[in-house]
């Protein structure tokens, strides 16, 4: 007797969120997460394709249908184990991965309706596990090999976890006083609570990874010193994106003009939103302009709003279609009342007598033919300059690689953009030295950095075990 | 945690700490700095390294109690610990035989200048030293400096000791053929020195400590205009060609958070300003 298939629900189970009028003035997490019932309901939408397409979109190769099936069956414990076979940081990925461009892009349900919300399900099981207490997996017997990881961001933490599980002694050197890299200094609390990053770091420490904070490699130890004098058998460089880019226009060094990095480091890492209880100050004016169209611009704009700005305007030189930020984040920002001004670009800043910015001159842009990035090139329209009253400007137009390691490591090959040259597996021009994440690719995503950390861990393991024989 | 081994008051509100930090002590070089955090809710502040002893495993720095963080720091005693110290940071000074070097230091920066002078003297240079302060009571390390210098001068803003102001520098330079000048101290002082040395065509190196947050090349708040280019004091510096620095902009940028700094300091003092206030 042929069983009639139940009709597939085309709409995704919506994510419970804080209401825009409430959340725009607090730093609490915006998305609240699925309940068990909602998670099972969403998992039930998964078709369990015999040839799943979603997996090819996952940079860390999670067996997506398998973990979703376990959620369907209510086996959350096993579901999270299934994810952790490949990904040590699911609570983070479930929150900040651009799933719409990765796994969910390939979901066949996307052809008839909404794709399965893989990210929300990943987040659900990770949160479920954290609430219950995280289990530590069995580690391989000690290999006697020692690996130095430079940078406790997504690439470094992933590589550290994988190498520790394989039985290597791992030491992470983090330059800041707090681990997490961009996850703590860059991504705001309302998108990724710090307690979640801390829980993931705790997990990695429970795997036996040693964390040394306040160590700027290149200065305290160079990479050759780590290998020769400090007894490390291999090094992984995951130092991330570095110095902020500026536009090089007049008035850029006026007061009130922050790089997004400075602004976010003050707010997120140094907790300036709680000044003067915390010592690091921040000053937010009434009219804030954020320059740029990526996720960092969205994070900056939404943080500025939460710090009490009356009006926050994102100024982007192309149009909405070309914005590199996640759709979801653009929608969140607009719901909160942030204004997007498209096809405009600053040309100079005008200051008051105390050296603070008071106005920004912009020029209108139009879109020409596509450039090398595939997006249509913005072209200034002659004579279209206009003034905007602003007292705070946040420049979020990207970063260039931090130069310290490159300057202090002889023989390490670097590209003309200043990024470190590494092959697919993360191998650099120096023996035993691997690299991955933004320091290799230039600015990209958390998950691609994690993917790079994972591949490098595998390559380092092969290298170390090969060295034995 | 970094234990304070020695604490000395060099002048009113100017204190010297020698701190146990063996790994930093091994690596530090003249011209470099550290970033420290005093307490859990504290800010990150940069301080120039004034000495290091690899055998003892200690580093030395000197600070002036001007804001909340330095006042808190000043309350710590020998045996207490500092929460976090990162270093050494910044590009080390260029130390070689230049010939005759003029060293002009003011305020707390007299301390790291002593380290520079030792290194420059070891490299075979002839040293002319000028140290200065607002008033004579704020001078320190006079004897140590004098002992290492071939020529030694003192200046104060009010003339309470030595020369009044830096005007006499011109006369010194008319007498002496100087190959290089290094100057560290308040921005206005360095600016004055640069104006004078420029007219004599003497290459002049300044040490810039603008506002910093991470201090390792991330935030960009320490940006300075050097010869029309934006440079980051934390990684490109802290030393720059003084004749190319836009000092007026630097002075404005140093005052960016003055109201907040005052508020923070005032509030802390009002709330007791005591050791319990640390947390």
């Amino acid at each position: 007797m042929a069983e009639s298939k139940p009709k597939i629900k085309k709409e995704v189970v919506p994510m419970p969120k804080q209401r825009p009028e409430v959340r725009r003035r607090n730093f609490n997490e915006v998305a609240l997460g699925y309940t068990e019932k909602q998670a099972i309901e969403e998992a039930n939408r998964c078709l369990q394709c015999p040839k799943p397409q979603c997996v090819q979109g996952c940079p860390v190769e999670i067996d997506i249908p398998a973990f979703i099936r376990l959620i369907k069956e209510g086996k959350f414990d096993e579901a999270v184990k299934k994810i952790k076979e490949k990904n040590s940081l699911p609570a983070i990925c479930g929150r900040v991965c651009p799933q719409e461009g990765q796994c969910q892009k390939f979901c066949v349900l996307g052809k008839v309706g909404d794709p399965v919300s893989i990210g929300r399900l990943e987040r659900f099981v990770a949160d479920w596990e954290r609430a219950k207490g995280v289990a530590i997996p069995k580690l391989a017997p000690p290999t006697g090999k020692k690996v130095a990881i430079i940078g406790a961001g997504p690439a470094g933490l992933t590589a550290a976890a994988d190498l520790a599980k394989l039985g290597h002694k791992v030491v992470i050197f983090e330059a800041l006083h707090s681990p997490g890299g961009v996850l703590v200094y860059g991504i705001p609390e309302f998108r990724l609570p710090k307690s979640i990053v801390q829980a993931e770091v705790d997990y990695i420490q429970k795997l036996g990874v040693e964390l040394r904070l306040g160590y700027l490699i290149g200065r305290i130890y160079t990479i050759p010193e780590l290998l020769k004098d400090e007894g490390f058998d291999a090094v992984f460089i995951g130092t991330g994106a570095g110095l902020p880019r500026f536009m090089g226009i007049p008035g850029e060094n006026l007061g009130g003009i922050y790089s997004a990095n400075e602004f976010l480091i003050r707010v997120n890492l140094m907790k300036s939103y709680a000044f003067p209880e915390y010592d690091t100050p921040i000053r937010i004016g009434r009219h804030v302009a954020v320059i740029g169209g990526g996720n960092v611009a969205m994070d900056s704009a939404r943080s500025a709003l939460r710090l009490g700005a009356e009006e926050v305007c994102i100024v982007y030189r192309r149009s909405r279609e070309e914005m590199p930020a996640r759709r979801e984040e653009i929608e969140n920002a607009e719901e909160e009342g942030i204004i997007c001004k498209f096809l405009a670009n600053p040309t100079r800043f005008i200051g008051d007598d105390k050296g603070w910015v008071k106005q920004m001159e912009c020029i209108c842009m139009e879109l020409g033919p596509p450039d090398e990035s595939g997006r249509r090139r913005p072209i200034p329209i002659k004579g279209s300059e206009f003034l905007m009253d602003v007292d705070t400007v946040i420049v979020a137009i990207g970063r260039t690689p931090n130069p310290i390691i490159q300057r202090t490591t002889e023989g390490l090959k670097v590209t003309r953009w200043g990024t470190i040259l590494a092959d697919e597996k993360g191998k650099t021009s120096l023996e035993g030295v691997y690299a991955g994440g933004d320091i290799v690719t230039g600015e990209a995503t958390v998950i691609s950095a994690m993917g790079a950390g994972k591949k490098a861990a595998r390559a380092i393991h092969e290298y170390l075990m090969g060295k034995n024989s | 945690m970094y234990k304070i081994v020695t604490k000395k008051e060099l002048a009113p509100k100017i204190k010297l700490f020698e701190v146990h930090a063996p790994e930093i002590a091994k690596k530090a070089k003249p011209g470099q700095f550290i970033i420290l955090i005093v307490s859990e809710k504290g800010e990150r502040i940069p301080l120039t390294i004034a000495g290091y002893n690899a055998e003892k495993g200690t580093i030395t720095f000197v600070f002036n109690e001007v804001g909340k963080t330095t006042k808190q720091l000043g309350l710590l005693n020998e045996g207490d610990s500092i929460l976090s110290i990162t270093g050494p940071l910044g590009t080390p000074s260029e130390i070689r035989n230049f010939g005759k070097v003029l060293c002009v230091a003011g305020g707390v920066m007299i301390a790291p200048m002593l380290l520079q002078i030792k290194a420059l003297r070891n490299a075979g240079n002839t040293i002319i030293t000028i140290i200065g302060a607002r008033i004579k009571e704020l001078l320190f390390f006079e004897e140590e400096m004098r002992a290492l210098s071939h020529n030694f001068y003192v200046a104060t803003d009010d003339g309470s000791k030595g020369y009044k102001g830096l005007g006499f520098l011109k006369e010194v330079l008319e007498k002496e053929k100087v190959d290089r000048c290094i100057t560290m101290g308040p921005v206005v002082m360095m600016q004055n020195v640069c104006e004078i040395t420029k007219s004599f065509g003497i290459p002049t190196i300044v040490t810039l400590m603008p506002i910093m947050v991470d201090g390792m090349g991330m935030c960009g708040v320490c940006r300075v205009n050097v010869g029309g280019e934006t440079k980051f004091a934390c990684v490109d510096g802290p030393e720059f060609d003084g004749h190319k620095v836009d000092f007026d902009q630097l002075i404005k940028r140093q005052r960016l958070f003055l109201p907040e700094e005052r508020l923070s300091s005032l509030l802390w003092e009002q709330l007791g300003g005591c050791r319990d206030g640390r947390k």
Side-chain angles (χ1 to χ4, degrees), chain A residues 9 21 102 130 152 200 233 250 421 451:
Chain A
K9 223 179 122 228
E21 60 276 22
Q102 299 181 157
R130 198 173 57 259
E200 302 283 26
D233 300 292
L421 199 67

Side-chain angles (χ1 to χ4, degrees), chain A residues 47-123:
Chain A
L47 299 176
Q48 292 290 313
C49 307
K51 279 187 189 159
Q53 301 298 303
C54 48
V55 181
Q56 63 177 288
C58 178
V60 295
E61 310 144 17
I62 294 174
D63 187 348
I64 296 165
F67 97 77
I68 295 183
R69 190 182 61 241
L70 291 162
I71 295 177
K72 278 186 188 201
E73 293 165 2
K75 297 175 184 160
F76 306 139
D77 205 6
E78 286 175 46
V80 77
K81 266 189 209 142
K82 182 54 74 186
I83 296 175
K84 281 198 166 173
E85 283 172 10
K86 299 286 185 182
N87 178 358
S88 297
L89 310 165
I92 294 168
C93 288
R95 285 173 167 82
V96 301
C97 263
Q99 292 100 3
E100 65 279 6
Q102 299 181 157
C103 50
Q104 291 173 201
K105 187 169 100 180
F106 296 99
C107 175
V108 293
L109 268 186
K111 289 180 189 145
V112 290
D114 298 326
V116 175
S117 192
I118 299 165
R120 292 172 186 179
L121 292 174
E122 180 181 29
R123 168 185 165 149

Side-chain angles (χ1 to χ4, degrees), chain B residues 160-221:
Chain B
S160 54
K161 185 161 193 183
Y163 289 92
K164 186 170 192 275
L166 276 175
F168 77 101
L169 180 55
K170 267 195 195 121
E171 290 144 46
V172 174
L173 292 177
E174 273 154 16
K175 282 191 301 196
E176 307 253 16
K177 200 203 149 289
V178 168
D179 299 295
R180 186 181 175 91
C181 170
I182 57 172
T183 175
M184 7 172 87
V187 176
V188 176
M189 185 207 85
M190 292 192 289
Q191 185 176 21
N192 288 338
V193 171
C194 286
E195 271 165 25
I196 298 170
T197 58
K198 196 170 185 177
S199 62
F200 286 88
I202 301 165
T204 301
I205 302 299
V206 294
T207 293
L208 305 185
M209 279 285 125
I211 297 175
M212 290 188 189
V213 183
D214 58 276
M216 49 187 71
M218 290 172 67
C219 80
V221 67

Side-chain angles (χ1 to χ4, degrees), chain B residues 71-216:
Chain B
K71 285 174 192 169
Q72 276 180 310
L73 196 59
L75 285 176
L76 298 180
N77 288 312
E78 289 176 5
D80 290 341
S81 289
I82 295 166
L83 183 67
S84 159
I85 298 182
T86 302
L89 302 173
T91 311
S93 307
E94 187 186 351
I95 303 284
R96 59 181 171 88
N97 193 346
F98 297 102
K100 195 179 277 183
V101 183
L102 170 70
C103 302
V104 188
V108 286
M109 295 301 277
I110 292 173
M113 184 61 98
L114 183 60
L115 183 62
Q116 294 275 329
I117 290 176
K118 283 179 190 163
L120 286 166
R121 177 116 198 189
N122 279 341
N125 291 283
T126 302
I127 311 285
I128 304 170
T129 304
I130 300 172
I131 63 168
R134 275 175 293 143
I135 52 172
K136 70 168 194 271
E137 286 78 8
L138 296 177
L139 288 164
F140 58 91
F141 282 178
E142 233 181 294
E143 287 322 305
E144 292 89 334
M145 294 288 225
R146 190 191 302 275
L148 287 168
S149 309
H150 297 88
N151 276 326
F152 179 76
Y153 305 88
V154 171
T156 48
D157 288 356
D158 66 346
S160 54
K161 185 161 193 183
Y163 289 92
K164 186 170 192 275
L166 276 175
F168 77 101
L169 180 55
K170 267 195 195 121
E171 290 144 46
V172 174
L173 292 177
E174 273 154 16
K175 282 191 301 196
E176 307 253 16
K177 200 203 149 289
V178 168
D179 299 295
R180 186 181 175 91
C181 170
I182 57 172
T183 175
M184 7 172 87
V187 176
V188 176
M189 185 207 85
M190 292 192 289
Q191 185 176 21
N192 288 338
V193 171
C194 286
E195 271 165 25
I196 298 170
T197 58
K198 196 170 185 177
S199 62
F200 286 88
I202 301 165
T204 301
I205 302 299
V206 294
T207 293
L208 305 185
M209 279 285 125
I211 297 175
M212 290 188 189
V213 183
D214 58 276
M216 49 187 71

Side-chain angles (χ1 to χ4, degrees), chain A residues 187-205:
Chain A
I187 302 175
E189 182 79 15
F190 54 83
R191 223 154 54 82
L192 177 63
K194 304 286 162 290
S195 59
I196 286 168
V197 181
Q198 191 53 53
E200 302 283 26
V201 172
D202 288 347
Y203 167 74
I204 282 164
Q205 285 182 282

Side-chain angles (χ1 to χ4, degrees), chain A residues 175 177 185 215-216 219-221 225 244 252-253 255 257 259 261-262 275-277 279 283 356 402 407, chain B residues 23 27 37 41-42 44 68 86 88-90 216-219 221 223 235-236 249 253 256-257 259-260 267:
Chain A
H177 60 277
Y185 78 73
Y215 283 76
L216 181 65
R219 293 283 177 227
I220 184 90
Y221 298 112
E225 283 168 348
E252 209 160 21
N253 293 345
I257 303 179
S259 73
N261 249 17
E262 179 191 350
F275 176 84
E277 187 199 341
D279 291 340
R283 202 184 302 168
W356 276 79
N402 188 303
R407 284 181 194 169
Chain B
E23 289 171 287
K27 293 301 158 105
I37 308 175
K41 295 180 179 176
R44 297 168 63 94
K68 178 182 170 184
T86 302
L89 302 173
M216 49 187 71
M218 290 172 67
C219 80
V221 67
R223 61 192 188 270
V235 289
D236 298 321
Q249 187 186 83
R253 286 194 64 80
L256 289 180
F257 291 98
E260 286 81 4
L267 207 58

